[in-house]
Amino acid sequence: MTGQAVEGEVGRRRLRKEDARLITGQTNWTDNIQVAGLLHLAILRSPMAHARLTRVDVSPALERPGVVAAFSGADLAEGLGSLPCAWPVTEDIVLPDHPALAVDEVRYAGDPVAVVVARDRYAAADALEAIEVDYDPLPPVLDLEAASAEGAPLVHADKGTNRCYTWPLAAGESFEAVRDRAEVTLKRRYHQQRLIPNAMEPRAVVVTPLAASGEYTVYSATQIPHILRIMLSTVTGIPEHKLRVIAPDVGGGFGSKLQVYGEEVLALAVARRLGRPVKWTESRSEGALATHHGRGMIQDVEIAATREGRLLGLKVDLLADMGAYLMLVTPGIPILGAFMYPAIYKMDAYEFSCTGVFSTRTPTDAYRGAGRPEATFAIERIMDELAAELGLDPVELRRRNWIRHEEFPYTTIAGLTYDSGNYEAATDKALALFGYDDLRAEQHERAERGDPVRLGIGVSTYTEMCGLAPSRVLRDLRYGAGGWEAASIRMLPTGKVEVVTGTSPHGQGHETCWSQIAADVLGVPFEDVEVLHGDTKAAPQGMDTYGSRSLAVGGEAVHRAARTVVAKARKIAAHLLEASEQDLEFSGGVFSVKGSPEARRTIQEIAFETFTNHDLPDGVEPTINAEHVVDPENFSYPHGTHLCAVEVDTETGRTRIRSYVCVDDVGRVINPMIVEGQVHGGLAQGIAQALYEEAVYDDDGNLLTGTMADYLVPSAADLPDFVTDRTETPAASNALGVKGVGEAGTIASTPAVVNAVVDALRPLGVRDVRMPCSPHRVWQAIQEARYGAAEGTGGAGPARSGQSGQTARSGELGQYGRPGEEGAE
């Protein structure tokens, strides 16, 4: 305990503490957990998108080898409430019941119908085929516009409508007024296709009961152990203090594990019924049906401007696909984006309206970015369209309208106060790294010589709101929880440090960054800090991990708790050194007396003194441990500029990303290596939406992309080398000066890529290509622009009214083909 402190931890490129377990196979995934007497649960899922259940007979399954029990929805209904929705965005929102196991009706392909419990997972899965179910088919509801029409088939007949809610926002002048004086107006329709999350670790849950005391331990691959504990208590009626939820090592989430799933409820209900431990782990194809989907939205966007390119107003109307049920935060996801459509731009009028619509598809909910990628896509796409209409360079149009660095803090027309930023600096650095002018010159030269491989350049300048907060703002948005976060610091007698955090990581590097923050404040070695998380018994307070909130809120709580430890230790150090607190200096983990540097005590020595309690000041308790709960005063607002160059073969439709440059500003950086990793991962997912991924349903509501053979996820070989850099404008809303980074790459990259594809094809008359911009869709867009192909075959120009784009059309599924199939490259 000699105080061999390391200064300057924050900002260092530290290797992640978490990685040793990962690369040596010593992780504790939920599916690895084995306990005595463990039973395995398998779920029978509806093969139909919409049907009445007229008979569910599980008795034949009981005759299969190894089967212990089998239950229908009616068997388990007693004592179970509806799965929760924590974000009823309007007073008149339609909130249908959502049973963990269907009782009378199924409403999407994959809706759970019955469960089998067996001594091993294979026996449980095999016994599912013995269950006898009679389905009475009902019409599927797939087209969002048709679903809103009078007389449409209803997903929930007892509600009398497929409309879930309508949520409006209007600010500044009326849009009608600015439209009347505008010299240029443009309308466009964009489609946010459904996306299927693909975390490396599938979802899994293990429940172990302790019958004597009525206690249950729930292990779940979840992002939200604390929220899950509360909601499981609410749904099952088990007292919260009798539930312990543990998130072991969690292999990715991207929002898909920000959820209270029926499978978690069913495992707990079955464990309670049988008094035995129960495990459920999804297969990949099961996850495609049952894990909530992301995006799923039609965006009608109108922009008004002067001939010189000054923005006057923006109008956005959304149809958002809720899917069959409202899950934890389903209705609020599009609303998160409502505040971000104006993005980094100044304007006089803004109108927004979102209508949530039920459909007979898998429910939607949070997916990396959660509403903000959709907003950024729409505004950045239509800004490119406006630039083309005005004959301006896309970057120049943005320069004429963005908030300048000297104007911060700036309250946007949507009502958010951006605390800091420098869009000019990030853009200038990105343009230089990209070689923007040279690429524009090459683009012109290639067009002049009629090169069939066109060069396109895409721009995306973005900001986002993250660090979900403050609690009173969330109250006003009718969100069912607060935005606070908790942390505590325990100084052990031997001088080691335990950091207890309410955030629950699933790949972000919390253990490393939190260690750096605590070591920096306390002046102890990085190696002497251990971070505890993901267990509601070890870390009883927390609001968990989502929305790029962990560092800006959870890291700030760690920082403040550590500062409190230093303040408490200072009082004891002053007593031991026989000096006043004001005469003490603290640096590198050492308290010393000003002018007498030989009079010193390390903070680790102070920790041991509090343990012995032999010589503390009167009235001072023998501990320097501290905890802190932070309720942030504002969201955090990272920003940046992303530039993408693509080559599009006009003869085949093949698109290749030639170069990608991004300069992000995420405030003060704790660990550059982790920031770069987060950006790279985000870019991969954003590019995937632009070029590869889409959940496609047929006209009967069957998911056609339900396996990894049909749903395209890019590998490293499909992605370019990224050039990443940063500018740094510290956040003013927290002492660390940090902003979120986990979703930034996803938010910015999708419009950059699509803008590049359209830029390449604009001279051919193409104004839009529906995502994903597969070779098939790109080729069709070119044919339609050249020859006026049949309606619905391409993506050129604004989408036509009445096309929801939510179901597959004949001849379009070739986009998912592998080499040798229709539509393959």
Side-chain angles (χ1 to χ4, degrees):
M1 295 188 295
T2 58
Q4 298 175 5
V6 176
E7 295 189 61
E9 276 294 336
V10 168
R12 293 186 64 183
R13 299 179 67 87
R14 280 283 191 183
L15 292 176
R16 300 196 327 165
K17 287 185 173 183
E18 298 87 340
D19 290 344
R21 297 196 312 275
L22 291 169
I23 63 178
T24 57
Q26 298 181 65
T27 47
N28 187 33
W29 311 116
T30 301
D31 190 52
N32 294 150
I33 295 170
Q34 299 294 330
V35 294
L38 183 66
L39 300 176
H40 294 264
L41 187 148
I43 299 173
L44 181 68
R45 300 184 182 277
S46 170
M48 306 189 70
H50 200 193
R52 293 187 187 90
L53 294 175
T54 58
R55 184 173 73 98
V56 180
D57 185 359
V58 300
S59 58
L62 296 172
E63 301 173 5
R64 292 296 184 97
V67 172
V68 174
F71 304 100
S72 68
D75 295 331
L76 292 178
E78 185 177 355
L80 291 184
S82 176
L83 295 180
C85 173
W87 202 342
V89 295
T90 62
E91 289 187 11
D92 61 350
I93 189 172
V94 175
L95 287 168
D97 286 339
H98 185 184
L101 203 57
V103 178
D104 301 314
E105 194 169 314
V106 291
R107 294 182 171 89
Y108 66 97
D111 210 352
V113 173
V115 298
V116 169
V117 187
R119 292 187 177 88
D120 66 67
R121 68 178 60 186
Y122 307 105
D126 290 344
L128 292 179
E129 64 186 25
I131 298 174
E132 298 175 1
V133 183
D134 291 338
Y135 298 91
D136 183 9
L138 294 169
V141 178
L142 300 168
D143 186 295
L144 297 185
E145 291 177 313
S148 303
E150 192 73 27
L154 298 176
V155 180
H156 299 276
D158 61 317
K159 300 302 181 184
T161 181
N162 288 321
R163 288 178 178 263
C164 176
Y165 67 87
T166 297
W167 191 95
L169 175 66
E173 300 180 46
S174 75
F175 185 79
E176 294 289 337
V178 300
R179 181 198 283 136
D180 289 343
R181 72 171 190 267
E183 296 169 296
V184 178
T185 61
L186 293 178
K187 292 183 180 180
R188 293 291 185 267
R189 167 170 283 198
Y190 301 120
H191 293 82
Q192 292 285 330
Q193 78 270 37
R194 276 176 165 253
L195 302 177
I196 300 176
N198 279 283
M200 190 170 289
E201 179 204 19
R203 290 189 295 118
V205 59
V206 173
V207 180
T208 61
L210 186 60
S213 60
E215 295 176 302
Y216 301 86
T217 299
V218 179
Y219 301 88
S220 181
T222 183
Q223 299 175 217
I224 52 167
H226 297 90
I227 294 173
L228 179 60
R229 181 191 190 205
I230 295 168
M231 294 304 183
L232 286 177
S233 175
T234 301
V235 174
T236 65
I238 297 171
E240 185 183 349
H241 67 284
K242 296 291 187 179
L243 288 172
R244 177 185 182 184
V245 176
I246 299 173
D249 291 311
V250 177
F254 316 117
S256 70
K257 295 173 184 174
L258 164 58
Q259 195 54 265
V260 178
Y261 282 106
E263 293 87 356
E264 292 161 321
V265 172
L266 290 173
L268 180 56
V270 169
R272 177 170 60 176
R273 177 75 69 95
L274 301 180
R276 296 272 299 275
V278 171
K279 177 190 286 188
W280 172 82
T281 302
E282 72 178 2
S283 66
R284 285 292 178 189
S285 57
E286 189 177 22
L289 287 170
T291 296
H292 74 240
H293 292 178
R295 315 289 191 254
M297 184 185 296
I298 302 172
Q299 302 170 305
D300 287 311
V301 186
E302 184 174 1
I303 198 166
T306 68
R307 180 58 61 184
E308 291 73 32
R310 188 176 82 81
L311 296 188
L312 298 177
L314 181 69
K315 187 174 188 292
V316 178
D317 290 302
L318 305 183
L319 281 178
D321 189 354
M322 303 287 98
Y325 299 100
L326 301 183
M327 299 194 75
L328 191 64
V329 291
T330 301
I333 297 305
I335 307 308
L336 278 175
F339 301 96
M340 299 313 301
Y341 281 87
I344 66 174
Y345 307 117
K346 297 178 284 190
M347 60 190 70
D348 301 328
Y350 175 52
E351 291 184 12
F352 171 92
S353 179
C354 176
T355 298
V357 181
F358 291 110
S359 70
T360 51
R361 282 183 287 254
T362 301
T364 59
D365 210 299
Y367 181 72
R368 196 170 190 170
R372 289 103 73 208
E374 298 93 313
T376 300
F377 181 87
I379 185 63
E380 290 302 288
R381 281 291 295 115
I382 204 165
M383 285 294 284
D384 259 34
E385 294 299 299
L386 181 60
E389 181 73 17
L390 296 174
L392 289 173
D393 182 271
V395 175
E396 176 58 28
L397 176 65
R398 287 163 170 83
R399 287 188 192 278
R400 294 184 185 187
N401 289 283
W402 64 36
I403 303 156
R404 303 197 64 80
H405 71 275
E406 64 268 15
E407 296 179 279
F408 289 96
Y410 185 91
T411 300
T412 73
I413 195 165
L416 298 177
T417 299
Y418 297 172
D419 60 332
S420 67
N422 192 327
Y423 309 141
E424 305 98 302
T427 302
D428 289 345
K429 180 177 273 192
L431 292 171
L433 290 170
F434 191 62
Y436 185 81
D437 291 339
D438 290 342
L439 282 168
R440 283 293 184 199
E442 181 187 342
Q443 180 186 45
H444 178 74
E445 188 272 330
R446 289 170 70 157
E448 284 288 307
R449 71 170 187 260
D451 192 330
V453 179
R454 297 288 179 131
L455 179 63
I457 298 168
V459 182
S460 174
T461 51
Y462 80 98
T463 189
E464 63 144 326
M465 54 184 284
C466 58
L468 199 59
S471 294
R472 291 184 179 180
V473 171
L474 299 181
R475 172 202 62 193
D476 293 341
L477 293 174
R478 300 178 62 84
Y479 183 67
W484 54 267
E485 193 49 78
S488 61
I489 306 286
R490 299 200 291 247
M491 292 291 300
L492 304 181
T494 54
K496 308 305 181 184
V497 180
E498 289 180 335
V499 174
V500 182
T501 176
T503 62
S504 183
H506 46 283
Q508 295 88 342
H510 291 187
E511 293 177 27
T512 304
C513 288
W514 278 214
S515 294
Q516 289 180 268
I517 292 169
D520 221 38
V521 175
L522 300 174
V524 301
F526 170 80
E527 296 77 12
D528 284 356
V529 183
E530 182 180 12
V531 179
L532 307 178
H533 56 78
D535 182 340
T536 60
K537 189 171 184 179
Q541 281 189 291
M543 289 300 295
D544 303 320
T545 297
Y546 40 86
S548 300
R549 71 185 300 271
S550 291
L551 180 58
V553 190
E556 177 71 4
V558 171
H559 181 258
R560 294 192 191 184
R563 288 171 64 93
T564 302
V565 168
V566 173
K568 294 173 75 171
R570 180 183 294 275
K571 186 180 293 291
I572 297 171
H575 174 76
L576 296 173
L577 294 170
E578 299 179 344
S580 69
E581 292 182 47
Q582 293 73 24
D583 289 337
L584 290 187
E585 294 178 331
F586 181 71
S587 178
V590 177
F591 292 98
S592 60
V593 180
K594 295 176 184 176
S596 302
E598 71 283 354
R600 61 199 305 271
R601 290 294 180 96
T602 69
I603 195 168
Q604 292 168 307
E605 290 172 329
I606 301 298
F608 188 78
E609 289 290 343
T610 61
F611 167 71
T612 64
N613 196 22
H614 289 168
D615 185 19
L616 298 190
D618 293 339
V620 172
E621 61 181 345
T623 179
I624 55 173
N625 296 345
E627 62 182 33
H628 205 101
V629 177
V630 170
D631 198 333
E633 62 187 58
N634 195 359
F635 298 90
S636 75
Y637 300 98
H639 68 83
T641 296
H642 288 223
L643 300 168
C644 178
V646 301
E647 293 182 326
V648 181
D649 189 329
T650 59
E651 296 176 344
T652 66
R654 181 180 184 271
T655 298
R656 181 182 76 89
I657 297 179
R658 175 169 142 178
S659 61
Y660 196 103
V661 168
C662 63
V663 174
D664 296 292
D665 192 320
V666 297
R668 190 184 184 197
V669 172
I670 304 299
N671 187 318
M673 189 179 299
I674 288 178
V675 166
E676 290 159 12
Q678 288 285 296
V679 170
H680 282 199
L683 294 177
Q685 285 187 280
I687 292 169
Q689 178 174 8
L691 297 180
Y692 296 98
E693 297 188 31
E694 183 177 20
V696 176
Y697 288 81
D698 68 14
D699 292 335
D700 294 320
N702 299 306
L703 181 65
L704 300 179
T705 52
T707 72
M708 298 298 283
D710 307 300
Y711 185 87
L712 299 190
V713 178
S715 70
D718 299 307
L719 298 169
D721 290 333
F722 303 124
V723 176
T724 65
D725 208 333
R726 292 184 299 277
T727 57
E728 186 171 311
T729 53
S733 57
N734 60 76
L736 284 171
V738 297
K739 305 176 183 180
V741 67
E743 296 161 299
T746 302
I747 289 167
S749 57
T750 307
V753 175
V754 177
N755 277 342
V757 172
V758 175
D759 184 64
L761 302 179
R762 196 179 297 280
L764 303 179
V766 175
R767 291 192 299 179
D768 192 28
V769 180
R770 280 263 305 279
M771 293 189 293
C773 300
S774 62
H776 185 59
R777 278 199 174 143
V778 169
W779 183 86
Q780 284 181 320
I782 295 169
Q783 304 317 303
E784 182 174 351
R786 282 177 173 170
Y787 309 117
E791 181 174 327
T793 61
R800 298 164 181 82
S801 177
Q803 288 183 317
S804 75
Q806 301 296 310
T807 59
R809 293 189 293 274
S810 176
E812 190 166 304
L813 297 182
Q815 66 182 293
Y816 299 99
R818 297 294 179 179
E821 299 177 359
E822 179 189 359
E825 296 176 9

